[in-house]
Amino acid sequence: MTGLVPVAASLAKREFTRFIRQPQRVVGTVAQPLLFWLFLGAGFGGSFRPAGMENVTYLEYFYPGVMLMMMLFASIFSSITIIEDRDAGFLQGVLVAPVSRLAIVLGKVLGATSIAMVQTLIFTIASPFLGLHLGAGSLVLLLLGFVLTGIGFSALGFLLAWGMKSTSAFHAVMMVFLMPLWMLSGALFPLGNVPQAMKLVMLANPVSHALIIIRAPFYYGPSVLLGDIHYLTSLSVTIAWALLCLGLSMARVNKREKGIATA
Amino acid sequence: MITIQNLTHIYPGARKLPPRTAIADLSLDVKDGEFTILSGPNGSGKSTLFRILCGLALPSAGTVTVAGFDLFAQPAKVREVMGVVFQSPAVDKHLSVGENLKIHADLYGLKGADFVRRRDGALSWTDLDGRLDHKVDTLSGGLARQVELAKVLMTDPKVLLLDEPTTGLDPMSRRNFLAALHKLQKERGMTVLMTSHVFSEADDVDRVAIMREGRLLAHDTPAALKAMIGTEMVVIQSKDTEGLAARLRTEMGLAVRCLGDEVRLEETENGDSLPLLERILERYRPDILSISIKQPGLDDVFIHVTSKAVPDHALALDLKRTGT
């Protein structure tokens, strides 16, 4: 069997090559969240006065939330190209090759994550204009947050897309499933003043934890964060989520369609 | 090289439909270095068999060994020695020819100078010279097929499976593709199993297997299969096919069959056909549009074998006749 790393790297490189050859896709995925951020930020800016955050503008509050959105949507929508690969026939050639099934999942997931990273990093350029200054240590933690979020959610996208016949079904599922998870993560509004029941939902929501590990490095350095139980909890949850989704995806690819037992 | 034993595949019935048996207790042995064509009418179970053989589906029952490995227990071992050419091309159209070959090499662990040597070797018989940088979607159907075959041959498989690889090719491209395939198969001693509907492709292969309704009806050399329906046959076209056939049966005692707009008298010995033709022509001239003596081809064998409504015991008989 061919080694895991070269196969995954080759397949991930293919994803990336396809992405940069479609400039519309690049522009669209960067511009959409940017507009979202600017318009919502400007619109809500006047009425955003949560307790304890008087000196935080909504544009600043929403900034990590938009980054999260970019990571989520870019990675998930890149990993659904698995549906295209199946339709176009490319996937069957990979499936009959002597490669580990994990390499097939990782190829797609790492490709999707790197695509999402490029977009999100372009957006990171805006941070100095908000008065947010990242030290080297914080930048490393931020990148770690991006990578883990990208892996976890592109693997989720892979898992959901694997059995689907069309990308339109996938878009519909994502709109009713992923959008609410993102909204309930604290990306749009702080979790402070919501009912207890909703708070529980937010805590069980893996997207909330991804938001925490993306937002925290903008305000604290690694020395503080690596000793903070809330940060470490969210970090562990995000890692566990990524491993779970990767494991389930691999099991899904490994499963071959089987004829029913003879009577 | 490929041994299929008592293979059965039953699809679960979707939404109120009963389960459907695609393959029923099929056994087939493809020997080392043989070129075998697998044929059968639409819905005969060819595609299901193909999916099982390339390891994409698991059957309901039965065993398959490829190059000595159990396909279901050791799929990874089998994948290493097998090359597969699918009906829908397994190349990325948005990438160039060279990029596609590189990805395929990565999947099979070919690197560096070895990769370049094998790539150039695999391309040497194609018309893809100087097209490494061309995107696959700018190539014609025939050239895209060549990319596919070059890609698969680059890894030097012991066993090559092809699923109707010439679909959509013009006659010239088809001929070139098959010529290249035959040449490479002989040179490398590859075992080839190819599904096909086109019998002009089957004449120079080692064996032909014919399936219907998930069963193997015949498996033999092209010559032996042709001998099955006699050495010659008389084919008559008439305005009233059924009527003429009935009269030939009752009035002349001939075992004729109707196929479409033709009446066929198969299994005539050499030399008997011409006098027979003359007798028929003499008696039924006004009813006959055309009459001819034909050497049976493999498509005639195919029609002969697959068109009969044969009960199970007769299937066994057919198999005995073809020496399988």
Side-chain angles (χ1 to χ4, degrees), chain B residues 187-200:
Chain B
E187 277 173 15
R188 299 187 181 184
M190 270 189 300
T191 307
V192 176
L193 182 66
M194 170 168 123
T195 67
S196 177
H197 279 306
V198 188
F199 280 92
S200 55

Side-chain angles (χ1 to χ4, degrees), chain A residues 1-3 6-11 13-15 17-18 21-22 84-101 104 254-263, chain B residues 8-13 19 51 54-61 71-72 75-76 79-80 82 84 86-96 99-100 102-103 106-109 135 151:
Chain A
M1 193 153 29
T2 318
V7 173
S10 179
L11 291 174
K13 187 177 156 218
R14 163 180 175 259
E15 296 295 323
T17 311
R18 283 177 60 118
R21 287 202 187 148
Q22 294 168 283
E84 252 175 74
D85 289 350
R86 187 190 293 280
D87 281 352
F90 179 80
L91 182 64
Q92 54 191 2
V94 179
L95 286 174
V96 299
V99 298
S100 127
R101 309 290 103 171
I104 299 174
N254 219 355
K255 199 170 152 224
R256 289 183 275 179
E257 156 211 337
K258 192 174 181 348
I260 58 172
T262 44
Chain B
T8 297
H9 192 88
I10 305 170
Y11 284 109
R51 282 182 62 76
C54 61
L56 294 177
L58 291 170
S60 302
L71 176 62
F72 309 130
R79 286 187 196 117
E80 279 174 22
M82 193 160 66
V84 185
F86 292 95
Q87 199 173 350
S88 55
V91 287
D92 189 333
K93 290 193 196 118
H94 300 287
L95 299 183
S96 70
E99 285 167 331
N100 269 295
K102 178 74 178 84
I103 290 177
D106 289 338
L107 295 180
Y108 286 79
K135 274 199 195 169
K151 182 185 100 152

